[in-house]
Structures are given as C-alpha cells and as structure tokens.
Amino acid sequence: MAGNDLGSLLGGLLGSSSSSSSGQGGGNILGSLLNALTGGQAGSGGNGSNPLGGLLDMLTRSGLTDQAQSWVGTGENQTVSGAQIAGALPDDTLQKVAADAGVSPQEAADEIARSLPQAVDKLTPNGSLPQGASLEEIIRRQQL
C-alpha cells in the first residue's frame, strides 16, 4: 500500500513531462523501487526515513557519482542508462520492482533511468537532500 501511495505521489511530482508513455508509470516504478529498498517501509516515515539518500549512495558506490550529483545539484542533469541502473541495483530488487510493475527487469531499469534524474532533481531544489522528513512529506512540499 505504501508503495502505491508513494508511486502516486512520485507520479504527480513527475507530471506529464515524464517521457514515459504510461504517464505515471515512472512514479509507480520509482515508488516500488524505494519501497523495495527499504523492505516495504518507505511509506512509514515516523523517524524521518528517506530512502532516496540510500538509493543515491548505492548509485554512487556503483560508479554513478557524477550522474547522481548532477541530479541533486542545481545544474543540468546527466543521463543514465537502463544498463547502468540494472548494474547498480541488487538483482532481487530489480526483479521485485519489475514484477510489481508487470514489466521485464530491463523495462523497469529503463523506466528508472528515464524518471529518476527528474524525480531527484525535483526533490532536491536547493542542491541537497532535505533532512528530517519522510519522503512523502518532501514530495508533498515540492508539489505546493
């Protein structure tokens, strides 16, 4: 349930400018990804949990430092490929996200590669990750 709610919020944040032909598909896949990375706890922000930082750390450890920093920073966003995303994520996580979305793991990785830079950019308007709030709270603030 939390993943679907998070997906809806991310879909709304991404809006119609997402390159996904399915409209909110990118938000739903990103919501599922963040939910999977936190063991289903992405929606329970009681202690200010924000899985976005963990995801960015994972990408950085996988050699995507420049791309991840460009999304958080205030300059132009660098692109990332589906293959790079697939290489950076644990295989079981990508499999779960794909199954949740009803697509192949490669399609899920491609959609994450398309929508993640835009989502991170919108969630970090001041060039840094917001602290002390759940991801849902951060998304709601950015949509105002």
Side-chain angles (χ1 to χ4, degrees):
M1 279 184 273
N4 291 338
D5 187 39
L6 184 57
S8 296
L9 287 170
L10 285 165
L13 180 73
L14 293 171
S16 60
S17 62
S18 174
S19 60
S20 169
S21 60
S22 60
Q24 293 200 0
N28 289 334
I29 286 179
L30 288 180
S32 180
L33 171 62
L34 293 171
N35 202 39
L37 289 172
T38 59
Q41 299 301 310
S44 59
N47 63 354
S49 64
N50 184 344
L52 187 59
L55 175 58
L56 292 175
D57 288 344
M58 185 181 298
L59 296 174
T60 297
R61 287 191 306 270
S62 297
L64 300 174
T65 303
D66 291 342
Q67 290 90 334
Q69 287 178 348
S70 76
W71 308 336
V72 173
T74 56
E76 188 172 333
N77 293 335
Q78 293 184 19
T79 60
V80 64
S81 71
Q84 289 172 306
I85 292 294
L89 296 176
D91 189 54
D92 59 330
T93 299
L94 190 55
Q95 294 285 340
K96 179 175 180 357
V97 170
D100 288 351
V103 298
S104 73
Q106 186 57 54
E107 289 171 312
D110 289 344
E111 185 57 46
I112 292 166
R114 279 191 293 273
S115 45
L116 186 61
Q118 181 184 2
V120 172
D121 186 55
K122 289 187 175 192
L123 292 170
T124 58
N126 298 320
S128 63
L129 285 174
Q131 300 297 314
S134 71
L135 189 56
E136 284 94 338
E137 186 178 329
I138 293 166
I139 293 168
R140 286 187 178 106
R141 284 186 209 157
Q142 297 308 322
Q143 289 182 319
L144 295 177

